[in-house]
Amino acid sequence: MNEPLLVDAYAAAAATGIRPGTIRVWLHRGKLTHHGHDRQGRALVDLNELQNAPAAKAA
């Protein structure tokens, strides 16, 4: 298994094309694993998990 590549929703959006609001909703609904917060209080997600999420392929 790969090491998690933790990024905030805006960096994840830039890398995947999925809107930051959509990423936050998926976190809230439990479709993505929440990996804590950075120093600025932004939620962190695993970029590898986001790219492999079934919903990301449909988006």
Side-chain angles (χ1 to χ4, degrees), residues 18 21-32 50 53 55-56 59:
I18 301 169
T22 301
I23 294 170
R24 286 191 293 273
V25 167
W26 289 351
L27 279 170
H28 179 74
R29 293 181 182 172
K31 292 183 179 184
L32 293 174
L50 181 60

Side-chain angles (χ1 to χ4, degrees), residues 5 7-20 23 47-48 50-51:
L5 178 58
V7 296
D8 66 71
Y10 290 100
T16 62
I18 301 169
R19 293 183 296 177
I23 294 170
L47 188 58
N48 297 322
L50 181 60
Q51 290 174 331

